[in-house]
Amino acid sequence: MEKTRPQAEPFRTGDGIALAVESLNPAGSPTLLFAHGFGQTRGAWGGSAAALARQGCHCVTFDTRGHGESERSPDGSYHMQQFAEDLLRLARAQSQPPILIGASMGGLLGLVVAGETRPAPFRAMVLVDITPRWETVGVERILAFMQAHPDGFADYAEAATQIAAYLPQRNGRKSEQQLRPLMREAADGRLHWHWDPALLAGGLVQESERYQPRLLSAAAKVDVPVLLLSGERSDVVSRDTVDEFLQLVPHARHVEVAGATHMVAGDANDAFTREIAGFIHTLDDADARRGVRVS
């Protein structure tokens, strides 16, 4: 039971922003560092992090700046470089080089950090439905959802209805208890999503497009083991973007998760977790053959 009880870990970025960081099974090994996607929180990893902690892993989840319970930028300014530096700082704060599990934006940040930093701050990487070049239609769909309700919601039921429409592949509706970590109540009583609206109003989204040449260059320099997990029904990655990635990173392994969309961990959590566990075993086996001990 103790292994899956989250423990808060105080952490500040290089420019003083307090990030909400939680650790499960801190005595475990290897360390898995989970980096969520744009508009998500550390809660996106709840089921997988708990399951992998029970299997003996040390799991670290966090809300990126401007998301969830992490602090917002005091001047409303957000840049990709800040997010990448935060991830690098958090990786270096671990007692051993972690295995990065990065979804969407989290995976892109991981590519930048892994490709441009020596020695590599990660033991290995799992990229969740993201490649250095992506399908614009899928990203536009995500941004349209995030921008759709600037005035918030009257209650949790209204928010649940909108999520159900956005994620029709999921069974059931989110309860108020499930939604509370995802919402903030304004002074007028209306409910708003957890992220800072400045994330959408600023240049962060436009920056991501300009980052593609840098991402492609960084990917070609990644020299740690990589697993790419994509959703069979994803509209963010495609066969073309996956093929391009595998040419850039020929040692990477690709697994398509049946039935999953871009939200792989939420759509097929058991399959997602099994793939990560299997990847960890291959790393352990490879280290054992080389006589390398990871502790």
Side-chain angles (χ1 to χ4, degrees):
M1 196 63 182
E2 290 294 326
K3 287 184 177 181
T4 58
R5 182 175 298 164
Q7 300 179 25
E9 294 190 351
F11 184 85
R12 286 194 178 271
T13 65
D15 55 352
I17 299 290
L19 300 187
V21 180
E22 288 184 336
S23 177
L24 289 79
N25 192 25
S29 182
T31 295
L32 310 182
L33 177 58
F34 292 81
H36 64 73
F38 190 58
Q40 292 186 313
T41 71
R42 66 190 188 278
W45 306 113
S48 292
L52 291 162
R54 285 193 294 270
Q55 294 178 33
C57 298
H58 171 210
C59 297
V60 179
T61 64
F62 70 103
D63 294 340
T64 59
R65 61 172 65 210
H67 293 72
E69 296 178 336
S70 288
E71 287 184 348
R72 298 180 173 188
S73 172
D75 62 0
S77 177
Y78 294 95
H79 300 283
M80 292 290 287
Q81 187 62 32
Q82 294 170 318
F83 287 85
E85 290 172 0
D86 293 348
L87 180 60
L88 176 58
R89 188 180 183 91
L90 189 52
R92 285 176 167 169
Q94 306 309 310
S95 61
Q96 57 181 267
I99 299 170
L100 178 74
I101 318 293
S104 200
M105 178 185 74
L108 295 179
L109 297 172
L111 283 174
V112 169
V113 170
E116 297 181 354
T117 308
R118 292 295 180 271
F122 308 125
R123 178 186 174 193
M125 300 174 63
V126 178
L127 302 179
V128 186
D129 208 67
I130 197 63
T131 48
R133 202 190 308 275
W134 51 85
E135 298 296 341
T136 303
V137 64
V139 174
E140 288 179 344
R141 180 182 60 84
I142 295 169
L143 294 175
F145 173 75
M146 293 180 67
Q147 295 167 339
H149 302 281
D151 297 325
F153 306 96
D155 51 34
Y156 287 103
E158 184 182 353
T161 297
Q162 295 303 318
I163 292 178
Y166 177 63
L167 301 173
Q169 73 275 14
R170 303 280 178 87
N171 293 322
R173 290 162 57 89
K174 284 190 177 294
S175 66
E176 179 176 332
Q177 182 179 4
Q178 291 173 309
L179 284 173
R180 280 189 177 276
L182 303 179
M183 314 295 292
R184 292 191 179 199
E185 185 174 344
D188 62 1
R190 291 187 66 81
L191 300 171
H192 296 261
W193 297 121
H194 61 84
W195 58 74
D196 186 347
L199 286 163
L200 294 169
L204 183 64
V205 174
Q206 291 75 21
E207 273 189 357
S208 65
E209 293 286 344
R210 295 200 300 270
Y211 252 60
Q212 283 192 340
R214 182 176 175 182
L215 287 163
L216 292 164
S217 175
K221 299 172 187 173
V222 171
D223 59 0
V224 298
V226 177
L227 170 64
L228 169 62
L229 293 178
S230 67
E232 178 189 23
R233 298 167 55 197
S234 174
D235 57 0
V236 174
V237 304
S238 64
R239 172 47 58 187
D240 288 342
T241 69
V242 169
D243 286 346
E244 179 184 46
F245 175 74
L246 294 177
Q247 290 177 4
L248 289 168
V249 192
H251 63 275
R253 186 164 68 92
H254 172 230
V255 174
E256 187 176 82
V257 180
T261 66
H262 181 59
M263 313 292 281
V264 179
D267 289 348
N269 194 253
D270 289 346
F272 173 77
T273 304
R274 282 196 303 271
E275 291 295 344
I276 293 176
F279 181 58
I280 292 170
H281 287 314
T282 65
L283 298 176
D284 291 341
D285 290 345
D287 287 341
R289 289 194 297 270
R290 295 198 309 270
V292 176
R293 180 182 177 185
V294 179
S295 60

PDB file of all heavy atoms in Angstrom, residues 254-290:
ATOM      1  N   HIS A 254       9.005   0.667 -32.163  1.00  0.00           N
ATOM      2  CA  HIS A 254       7.672   1.260 -32.263  1.00  0.00           C
ATOM      3  C   HIS A 254       6.610   0.202 -31.995  1.00  0.00           C
ATOM      4  O   HIS A 254       6.660  -0.897 -32.540  1.00  0.00           O
ATOM      5  CB  HIS A 254       7.450   1.853 -33.660  1.00  0.00           C
ATOM      6  CG  HIS A 254       6.043   2.301 -33.898  1.00  0.00           C
ATOM      7  ND1 HIS A 254       5.325   1.938 -35.019  1.00  0.00           N
ATOM      8  CD2 HIS A 254       5.212   3.068 -33.148  1.00  0.00           C
ATOM      9  CE1 HIS A 254       4.122   2.470 -34.960  1.00  0.00           C
ATOM     10  NE2 HIS A 254       4.022   3.160 -33.838  1.00  0.00           N
ATOM     11  N   VAL A 255       5.649   0.551 -31.138  1.00  0.00           N
ATOM     12  CA  VAL A 255       4.499  -0.316 -30.860  1.00  0.00           C
ATOM     13  C   VAL A 255       3.237   0.515 -31.024  1.00  0.00           C
ATOM     14  O   VAL A 255       3.119   1.599 -30.452  1.00  0.00           O
ATOM     15  CB  VAL A 255       4.553  -0.900 -29.433  1.00  0.00           C
ATOM     16  CG1 VAL A 255       3.267  -1.671 -29.131  1.00  0.00           C
ATOM     17  CG2 VAL A 255       5.766  -1.800 -29.266  1.00  0.00           C
ATOM     18  N   GLU A 256       2.301   0.013 -31.807  1.00  0.00           N
ATOM     19  CA  GLU A 256       1.009   0.670 -31.983  1.00  0.00           C
ATOM     20  C   GLU A 256       0.007   0.026 -31.028  1.00  0.00           C
ATOM     21  O   GLU A 256      -0.184  -1.191 -31.048  1.00  0.00           O
ATOM     22  CB  GLU A 256       0.543   0.524 -33.428  1.00  0.00           C
ATOM     23  CG  GLU A 256      -0.711   1.322 -33.746  1.00  0.00           C
ATOM     24  CD  GLU A 256      -1.066   1.227 -35.221  1.00  0.00           C
ATOM     25  OE1 GLU A 256      -1.697   0.213 -35.612  1.00  0.00           O
ATOM     26  OE2 GLU A 256      -0.707   2.143 -35.985  1.00  0.00           O
ATOM     27  N   VAL A 257      -0.628   0.840 -30.207  1.00  0.00           N
ATOM     28  CA  VAL A 257      -1.565   0.346 -29.199  1.00  0.00           C
ATOM     29  C   VAL A 257      -2.966   0.285 -29.805  1.00  0.00           C
ATOM     30  O   VAL A 257      -3.532   1.308 -30.200  1.00  0.00           O
ATOM     31  CB  VAL A 257      -1.558   1.238 -27.946  1.00  0.00           C
ATOM     32  CG1 VAL A 257      -2.537   0.708 -26.898  1.00  0.00           C
ATOM     33  CG2 VAL A 257      -0.148   1.310 -27.357  1.00  0.00           C
ATOM     34  N   ALA A 258      -3.510  -0.902 -29.887  1.00  0.00           N
ATOM     35  CA  ALA A 258      -4.797  -1.126 -30.544  1.00  0.00           C
ATOM     36  C   ALA A 258      -5.921  -0.325 -29.874  1.00  0.00           C
ATOM     37  O   ALA A 258      -6.027  -0.288 -28.643  1.00  0.00           O
ATOM     38  CB  ALA A 258      -5.143  -2.616 -30.515  1.00  0.00           C
ATOM     39  N   GLY A 259      -6.737   0.306 -30.701  1.00  0.00           N
ATOM     40  CA  GLY A 259      -7.918   1.001 -30.222  1.00  0.00           C
ATOM     41  C   GLY A 259      -7.681   2.357 -29.599  1.00  0.00           C
ATOM     42  O   GLY A 259      -8.638   3.081 -29.318  1.00  0.00           O
ATOM     43  N   ALA A 260      -6.430   2.739 -29.366  1.00  0.00           N
ATOM     44  CA  ALA A 260      -6.132   3.985 -28.664  1.00  0.00           C
ATOM     45  C   ALA A 260      -6.060   5.164 -29.628  1.00  0.00           C
ATOM     46  O   ALA A 260      -5.650   5.021 -30.782  1.00  0.00           O
ATOM     47  CB  ALA A 260      -4.816   3.864 -27.900  1.00  0.00           C
ATOM     48  N   THR A 261      -6.443   6.326 -29.126  1.00  0.00           N
ATOM     49  CA  THR A 261      -6.285   7.572 -29.858  1.00  0.00           C
ATOM     50  C   THR A 261      -4.984   8.229 -29.381  1.00  0.00           C
ATOM     51  O   THR A 261      -4.092   7.554 -28.865  1.00  0.00           O
ATOM     52  CB  THR A 261      -7.486   8.504 -29.603  1.00  0.00           C
ATOM     53  OG1 THR A 261      -7.493   8.904 -28.222  1.00  0.00           O
ATOM     54  CG2 THR A 261      -8.795   7.800 -29.933  1.00  0.00           C
ATOM     55  N   HIS A 262      -4.899   9.548 -29.524  1.00  0.00           N
ATOM     56  CA  HIS A 262      -3.732  10.272 -29.020  1.00  0.00           C
ATOM     57  C   HIS A 262      -3.578  10.106 -27.507  1.00  0.00           C
ATOM     58  O   HIS A 262      -2.470  10.136 -26.991  1.00  0.00           O
ATOM     59  CB  HIS A 262      -3.874  11.752 -29.379  1.00  0.00           C
ATOM     60  CG  HIS A 262      -2.730  12.615 -28.946  1.00  0.00           C
ATOM     61  ND1 HIS A 262      -1.426  12.395 -29.356  1.00  0.00           N
ATOM     62  CD2 HIS A 262      -2.688  13.712 -28.123  1.00  0.00           C
ATOM     63  CE1 HIS A 262      -0.634  13.314 -28.830  1.00  0.00           C
ATOM     64  NE2 HIS A 262      -1.375  14.110 -28.072  1.00  0.00           N
ATOM     65  N   MET A 263      -4.704   9.898 -26.811  1.00  0.00           N
ATOM     66  CA  MET A 263      -4.690   9.755 -25.352  1.00  0.00           C
ATOM     67  C   MET A 263      -4.444   8.295 -24.995  1.00  0.00           C
ATOM     68  O   MET A 263      -5.304   7.599 -24.441  1.00  0.00           O
ATOM     69  CB  MET A 263      -6.013  10.244 -24.770  1.00  0.00           C
ATOM     70  CG  MET A 263      -6.479  11.584 -25.323  1.00  0.00           C
ATOM     71  SD  MET A 263      -5.431  12.956 -24.809  1.00  0.00           S
ATOM     72  CE  MET A 263      -6.035  13.204 -23.153  1.00  0.00           C
ATOM     73  N   VAL A 264      -3.266   7.796 -25.298  1.00  0.00           N
ATOM     74  CA  VAL A 264      -2.984   6.364 -25.190  1.00  0.00           C
ATOM     75  C   VAL A 264      -3.152   5.852 -23.760  1.00  0.00           C
ATOM     76  O   VAL A 264      -3.823   4.838 -23.523  1.00  0.00           O
ATOM     77  CB  VAL A 264      -1.562   6.048 -25.696  1.00  0.00           C
ATOM     78  CG1 VAL A 264      -1.261   4.562 -25.556  1.00  0.00           C
ATOM     79  CG2 VAL A 264      -1.391   6.488 -27.143  1.00  0.00           C
ATOM     80  N   ALA A 265      -2.555   6.548 -22.789  1.00  0.00           N
ATOM     81  CA  ALA A 265      -2.603   6.069 -21.407  1.00  0.00           C
ATOM     82  C   ALA A 265      -4.024   6.012 -20.877  1.00  0.00           C
ATOM     83  O   ALA A 265      -4.376   5.101 -20.115  1.00  0.00           O
ATOM     84  CB  ALA A 265      -1.744   6.961 -20.517  1.00  0.00           C
ATOM     85  N   GLY A 266      -4.855   6.965 -21.263  1.00  0.00           N
ATOM     86  CA  GLY A 266      -6.231   6.977 -20.795  1.00  0.00           C
ATOM     87  C   GLY A 266      -7.126   6.019 -21.538  1.00  0.00           C
ATOM     88  O   GLY A 266      -8.070   5.465 -20.978  1.00  0.00           O
ATOM     89  N   ASP A 267      -6.850   5.790 -22.824  1.00  0.00           N
ATOM     90  CA  ASP A 267      -7.699   4.925 -23.643  1.00  0.00           C
ATOM     91  C   ASP A 267      -7.436   3.445 -23.391  1.00  0.00           C
ATOM     92  O   ASP A 267      -8.356   2.630 -23.442  1.00  0.00           O
ATOM     93  CB  ASP A 267      -7.470   5.211 -25.128  1.00  0.00           C
ATOM     94  CG  ASP A 267      -8.037   6.544 -25.567  1.00  0.00           C
ATOM     95  OD1 ASP A 267      -8.797   7.148 -24.792  1.00  0.00           O
ATOM     96  OD2 ASP A 267      -7.702   6.991 -26.685  1.00  0.00           O
ATOM     97  N   ALA A 268      -6.160   3.082 -23.175  1.00  0.00           N
ATOM     98  CA  ALA A 268      -5.782   1.662 -23.044  1.00  0.00           C
ATOM     99  C   ALA A 268      -4.716   1.542 -21.965  1.00  0.00           C
ATOM    100  O   ALA A 268      -3.580   1.151 -22.238  1.00  0.00           O
ATOM    101  CB  ALA A 268      -5.285   1.129 -24.384  1.00  0.00           C
ATOM    102  N   ASN A 269      -5.101   1.859 -20.720  1.00  0.00           N
ATOM    103  CA  ASN A 269      -4.112   1.963 -19.657  1.00  0.00           C
ATOM    104  C   ASN A 269      -3.403   0.645 -19.363  1.00  0.00           C
ATOM    105  O   ASN A 269      -2.190   0.635 -19.126  1.00  0.00           O
ATOM    106  CB  ASN A 269      -4.764   2.505 -18.378  1.00  0.00           C
ATOM    107  CG  ASN A 269      -3.750   2.951 -17.357  1.00  0.00           C
ATOM    108  OD1 ASN A 269      -3.535   2.299 -16.353  1.00  0.00           O
ATOM    109  ND2 ASN A 269      -3.094   4.074 -17.640  1.00  0.00           N
ATOM    110  N   ASP A 270      -4.136  -0.454 -19.380  1.00  0.00           N
ATOM    111  CA  ASP A 270      -3.500  -1.744 -19.081  1.00  0.00           C
ATOM    112  C   ASP A 270      -2.460  -2.104 -20.135  1.00  0.00           C
ATOM    113  O   ASP A 270      -1.335  -2.527 -19.805  1.00  0.00           O
ATOM    114  CB  ASP A 270      -4.549  -2.851 -18.987  1.00  0.00           C
ATOM    115  CG  ASP A 270      -5.421  -2.728 -17.745  1.00  0.00           C
ATOM    116  OD1 ASP A 270      -5.056  -1.956 -16.833  1.00  0.00           O
ATOM    117  OD2 ASP A 270      -6.477  -3.396 -17.689  1.00  0.00           O
ATOM    118  N   ALA A 271      -2.821  -1.934 -21.411  1.00  0.00           N
ATOM    119  CA  ALA A 271      -1.875  -2.239 -22.489  1.00  0.00           C
ATOM    120  C   ALA A 271      -0.689  -1.291 -22.442  1.00  0.00           C
ATOM    121  O   ALA A 271       0.462  -1.706 -22.644  1.00  0.00           O
ATOM    122  CB  ALA A 271      -2.579  -2.138 -23.843  1.00  0.00           C
ATOM    123  N   PHE A 272      -0.962  -0.022 -22.178  1.00  0.00           N
ATOM    124  CA  PHE A 272       0.091   0.985 -22.064  1.00  0.00           C
ATOM    125  C   PHE A 272       1.087   0.603 -20.976  1.00  0.00           C
ATOM    126  O   PHE A 272       2.309   0.614 -21.182  1.00  0.00           O
ATOM    127  CB  PHE A 272      -0.557   2.334 -21.758  1.00  0.00           C
ATOM    128  CG  PHE A 272       0.390   3.450 -21.436  1.00  0.00           C
ATOM    129  CD1 PHE A 272       1.105   4.088 -22.432  1.00  0.00           C
ATOM    130  CD2 PHE A 272       0.568   3.878 -20.124  1.00  0.00           C
ATOM    131  CE1 PHE A 272       1.980   5.132 -22.138  1.00  0.00           C
ATOM    132  CE2 PHE A 272       1.431   4.919 -19.819  1.00  0.00           C
ATOM    133  CZ  PHE A 272       2.142   5.540 -20.832  1.00  0.00           C
ATOM    134  N   THR A 273       0.569   0.229 -19.814  1.00  0.00           N
ATOM    135  CA  THR A 273       1.427  -0.134 -18.679  1.00  0.00           C
ATOM    136  C   THR A 273       2.232  -1.387 -18.977  1.00  0.00           C
ATOM    137  O   THR A 273       3.421  -1.468 -18.642  1.00  0.00           O
ATOM    138  CB  THR A 273       0.575  -0.331 -17.423  1.00  0.00           C
ATOM    139  OG1 THR A 273      -0.191   0.853 -17.170  1.00  0.00           O
ATOM    140  CG2 THR A 273       1.442  -0.628 -16.210  1.00  0.00           C
ATOM    141  N   ARG A 274       1.603  -2.366 -19.622  1.00  0.00           N
ATOM    142  CA  ARG A 274       2.329  -3.596 -19.973  1.00  0.00           C
ATOM    143  C   ARG A 274       3.494  -3.307 -20.909  1.00  0.00           C
ATOM    144  O   ARG A 274       4.584  -3.897 -20.755  1.00  0.00           O
ATOM    145  CB  ARG A 274       1.375  -4.604 -20.632  1.00  0.00           C
ATOM    146  CG  ARG A 274       0.470  -5.346 -19.684  1.00  0.00           C
ATOM    147  CD  ARG A 274      -0.151  -6.566 -20.354  1.00  0.00           C
ATOM    148  NE  ARG A 274      -0.886  -6.227 -21.566  1.00  0.00           N
ATOM    149  CZ  ARG A 274      -2.177  -5.893 -21.579  1.00  0.00           C
ATOM    150  NH1 ARG A 274      -2.855  -5.845 -20.453  1.00  0.00           N
ATOM    151  NH2 ARG A 274      -2.781  -5.607 -22.721  1.00  0.00           N
ATOM    152  N   GLU A 275       3.299  -2.419 -21.866  1.00  0.00           N
ATOM    153  CA  GLU A 275       4.378  -2.103 -22.803  1.00  0.00           C
ATOM    154  C   GLU A 275       5.547  -1.440 -22.081  1.00  0.00           C
ATOM    155  O   GLU A 275       6.710  -1.731 -22.379  1.00  0.00           O
ATOM    156  CB  GLU A 275       3.865  -1.208 -23.924  1.00  0.00           C
ATOM    157  CG  GLU A 275       2.895  -1.879 -24.880  1.00  0.00           C
ATOM    158  CD  GLU A 275       3.518  -3.010 -25.678  1.00  0.00           C
ATOM    159  OE1 GLU A 275       4.765  -3.105 -25.738  1.00  0.00           O
ATOM    160  OE2 GLU A 275       2.750  -3.814 -26.241  1.00  0.00           O
ATOM    161  N   ILE A 276       5.256  -0.556 -21.149  1.00  0.00           N
ATOM    162  CA  ILE A 276       6.330   0.091 -20.392  1.00  0.00           C
ATOM    163  C   ILE A 276       7.070  -0.934 -19.545  1.00  0.00           C
ATOM    164  O   ILE A 276       8.308  -0.951 -19.501  1.00  0.00           O
ATOM    165  CB  ILE A 276       5.773   1.228 -19.522  1.00  0.00           C
ATOM    166  CG1 ILE A 276       5.257   2.360 -20.403  1.00  0.00           C
ATOM    167  CG2 ILE A 276       6.856   1.755 -18.565  1.00  0.00           C
ATOM    168  CD1 ILE A 276       4.604   3.479 -19.650  1.00  0.00           C
ATOM    169  N   ALA A 277       6.318  -1.796 -18.863  1.00  0.00           N
ATOM    170  CA  ALA A 277       6.960  -2.823 -18.029  1.00  0.00           C
ATOM    171  C   ALA A 277       7.851  -3.732 -18.872  1.00  0.00           C
ATOM    172  O   ALA A 277       8.970  -4.082 -18.473  1.00  0.00           O
ATOM    173  CB  ALA A 277       5.894  -3.638 -17.305  1.00  0.00           C
ATOM    174  N   GLY A 278       7.359  -4.117 -20.056  1.00  0.00           N
ATOM    175  CA  GLY A 278       8.164  -4.958 -20.933  1.00  0.00           C
ATOM    176  C   GLY A 278       9.423  -4.250 -21.408  1.00  0.00           C
ATOM    177  O   GLY A 278      10.499  -4.867 -21.502  1.00  0.00           O
ATOM    178  N   PHE A 279       9.314  -2.962 -21.704  1.00  0.00           N
ATOM    179  CA  PHE A 279      10.475  -2.169 -22.130  1.00  0.00           C
ATOM    180  C   PHE A 279      11.517  -2.107 -21.022  1.00  0.00           C
ATOM    181  O   PHE A 279      12.724  -2.253 -21.277  1.00  0.00           O
ATOM    182  CB  PHE A 279      10.002  -0.774 -22.503  1.00  0.00           C
ATOM    183  CG  PHE A 279      11.081   0.157 -22.991  1.00  0.00           C
ATOM    184  CD1 PHE A 279      11.869  -0.159 -24.088  1.00  0.00           C
ATOM    185  CD2 PHE A 279      11.302   1.372 -22.350  1.00  0.00           C
ATOM    186  CE1 PHE A 279      12.853   0.706 -24.551  1.00  0.00           C
ATOM    187  CE2 PHE A 279      12.271   2.249 -22.799  1.00  0.00           C
ATOM    188  CZ  PHE A 279      13.061   1.914 -23.897  1.00  0.00           C
ATOM    189  N   ILE A 280      11.064  -1.934 -19.783  1.00  0.00           N
ATOM    190  CA  ILE A 280      11.991  -1.889 -18.648  1.00  0.00           C
ATOM    191  C   ILE A 280      12.733  -3.211 -18.531  1.00  0.00           C
ATOM    192  O   ILE A 280      13.953  -3.236 -18.294  1.00  0.00           O
ATOM    193  CB  ILE A 280      11.231  -1.573 -17.351  1.00  0.00           C
ATOM    194  CG1 ILE A 280      10.703  -0.139 -17.382  1.00  0.00           C
ATOM    195  CG2 ILE A 280      12.137  -1.774 -16.125  1.00  0.00           C
ATOM    196  CD1 ILE A 280       9.749   0.189 -16.265  1.00  0.00           C
ATOM    197  N   HIS A 281      12.026  -4.318 -18.731  1.00  0.00           N
ATOM    198  CA  HIS A 281      12.675  -5.627 -18.649  1.00  0.00           C
ATOM    199  C   HIS A 281      13.747  -5.781 -19.719  1.00  0.00           C
ATOM    200  O   HIS A 281      14.819  -6.372 -19.462  1.00  0.00           O
ATOM    201  CB  HIS A 281      11.640  -6.745 -18.768  1.00  0.00           C
ATOM    202  CG  HIS A 281      10.779  -6.906 -17.560  1.00  0.00           C
ATOM    203  ND1 HIS A 281      11.278  -6.931 -16.272  1.00  0.00           N
ATOM    204  CD2 HIS A 281       9.434  -7.034 -17.438  1.00  0.00           C
ATOM    205  CE1 HIS A 281      10.295  -7.073 -15.405  1.00  0.00           C
ATOM    206  NE2 HIS A 281       9.155  -7.131 -16.085  1.00  0.00           N
ATOM    207  N   THR A 282      13.491  -5.267 -20.924  1.00  0.00           N
ATOM    208  CA  THR A 282      14.515  -5.367 -21.972  1.00  0.00           C
ATOM    209  C   THR A 282      15.745  -4.549 -21.599  1.00  0.00           C
ATOM    210  O   THR A 282      16.879  -4.958 -21.886  1.00  0.00           O
ATOM    211  CB  THR A 282      13.978  -4.889 -23.338  1.00  0.00           C
ATOM    212  OG1 THR A 282      13.669  -3.488 -23.293  1.00  0.00           O
ATOM    213  CG2 THR A 282      12.737  -5.668 -23.746  1.00  0.00           C
ATOM    214  N   LEU A 283      15.548  -3.406 -20.948  1.00  0.00           N
ATOM    215  CA  LEU A 283      16.685  -2.599 -20.495  1.00  0.00           C
ATOM    216  C   LEU A 283      17.481  -3.339 -19.436  1.00  0.00           C
ATOM    217  O   LEU A 283      18.719  -3.349 -19.458  1.00  0.00           O
ATOM    218  CB  LEU A 283      16.195  -1.265 -19.923  1.00  0.00           C
ATOM    219  CG  LEU A 283      15.455  -0.323 -20.880  1.00  0.00           C
ATOM    220  CD1 LEU A 283      14.954   0.897 -20.113  1.00  0.00           C
ATOM    221  CD2 LEU A 283      16.340   0.098 -22.034  1.00  0.00           C
ATOM    222  N   ASP A 284      16.758  -3.948 -18.496  1.00  0.00           N
ATOM    223  CA  ASP A 284      17.432  -4.694 -17.430  1.00  0.00           C
ATOM    224  C   ASP A 284      18.214  -5.862 -17.998  1.00  0.00           C
ATOM    225  O   ASP A 284      19.350  -6.140 -17.577  1.00  0.00           O
ATOM    226  CB  ASP A 284      16.404  -5.197 -16.407  1.00  0.00           C
ATOM    227  CG  ASP A 284      15.783  -4.076 -15.593  1.00  0.00           C
ATOM    228  OD1 ASP A 284      16.385  -2.981 -15.546  1.00  0.00           O
ATOM    229  OD2 ASP A 284      14.708  -4.297 -15.010  1.00  0.00           O
ATOM    230  N   ASP A 285      17.622  -6.562 -18.964  1.00  0.00           N
ATOM    231  CA  ASP A 285      18.310  -7.708 -19.573  1.00  0.00           C
ATOM    232  C   ASP A 285      19.564  -7.254 -20.308  1.00  0.00           C
ATOM    233  O   ASP A 285      20.619  -7.904 -20.237  1.00  0.00           O
ATOM    234  CB  ASP A 285      17.372  -8.428 -20.542  1.00  0.00           C
ATOM    235  CG  ASP A 285      16.243  -9.165 -19.832  1.00  0.00           C
ATOM    236  OD1 ASP A 285      16.348  -9.361 -18.597  1.00  0.00           O
ATOM    237  OD2 ASP A 285      15.249  -9.514 -20.501  1.00  0.00           O
ATOM    238  N   ALA A 286      19.458  -6.118 -21.032  1.00  0.00           N
ATOM    239  CA  ALA A 286      20.612  -5.603 -21.769  1.00  0.00           C
ATOM    240  C   ALA A 286      21.722  -5.193 -20.816  1.00  0.00           C
ATOM    241  O   ALA A 286      22.905  -5.461 -21.064  1.00  0.00           O
ATOM    242  CB  ALA A 286      20.196  -4.414 -22.635  1.00  0.00           C
ATOM    243  N   ASP A 287      21.356  -4.541 -19.703  1.00  0.00           N
ATOM    244  CA  ASP A 287      22.340  -4.135 -18.710  1.00  0.00           C
ATOM    245  C   ASP A 287      23.016  -5.373 -18.085  1.00  0.00           C
ATOM    246  O   ASP A 287      24.220  -5.371 -17.835  1.00  0.00           O
ATOM    247  CB  ASP A 287      21.702  -3.285 -17.626  1.00  0.00           C
ATOM    248  CG  ASP A 287      21.349  -1.891 -18.098  1.00  0.00           C
ATOM    249  OD1 ASP A 287      21.916  -1.465 -19.137  1.00  0.00           O
ATOM    250  OD2 ASP A 287      20.543  -1.214 -17.449  1.00  0.00           O
ATOM    251  N   ALA A 288      22.222  -6.406 -17.809  1.00  0.00           N
ATOM    252  CA  ALA A 288      22.776  -7.618 -17.214  1.00  0.00           C
ATOM    253  C   ALA A 288      23.799  -8.272 -18.146  1.00  0.00           C
ATOM    254  O   ALA A 288      24.845  -8.754 -17.705  1.00  0.00           O
ATOM    255  CB  ALA A 288      21.646  -8.599 -16.891  1.00  0.00           C
ATOM    256  N   ARG A 289      23.479  -8.276 -19.466  1.00  0.00           N
ATOM    257  CA  ARG A 289      24.421  -8.865 -20.423  1.00  0.00           C
ATOM    258  C   ARG A 289      25.727  -8.082 -20.477  1.00  0.00           C
ATOM    259  O   ARG A 289      26.800  -8.654 -20.698  1.00  0.00           O
ATOM    260  CB  ARG A 289      23.792  -8.932 -21.811  1.00  0.00           C
ATOM    261  CG  ARG A 289      22.689  -9.982 -21.942  1.00  0.00           C
ATOM    262  CD  ARG A 289      22.347 -10.238 -23.404  1.00  0.00           C
ATOM    263  NE  ARG A 289      21.817  -9.038 -24.044  1.00  0.00           N
ATOM    264  CZ  ARG A 289      20.521  -8.723 -24.069  1.00  0.00           C
ATOM    265  NH1 ARG A 289      19.641  -9.493 -23.465  1.00  0.00           N
ATOM    266  NH2 ARG A 289      20.104  -7.633 -24.693  1.00  0.00           N
ATOM    267  N   ARG A 290      25.631  -6.761 -20.259  1.00  0.00           N
ATOM    268  CA  ARG A 290      26.835  -5.918 -20.286  1.00  0.00           C
ATOM    269  C   ARG A 290      27.510  -5.834 -18.919  1.00  0.00           C
ATOM    270  O   ARG A 290      28.560  -5.219 -18.785  1.00  0.00           O
ATOM    271  CB  ARG A 290      26.480  -4.508 -20.744  1.00  0.00           C
ATOM    272  CG  ARG A 290      25.974  -4.413 -22.158  1.00  0.00           C
ATOM    273  CD  ARG A 290      26.058  -2.991 -22.676  1.00  0.00           C
ATOM    274  NE  ARG A 290      25.438  -2.038 -21.754  1.00  0.00           N
ATOM    275  CZ  ARG A 290      24.150  -1.673 -21.788  1.00  0.00           C
ATOM    276  NH1 ARG A 290      23.352  -2.216 -22.696  1.00  0.00           N
ATOM    277  NH2 ARG A 290      23.671  -0.786 -20.944  1.00  0.00           N
TER     278      ARG A 290
END
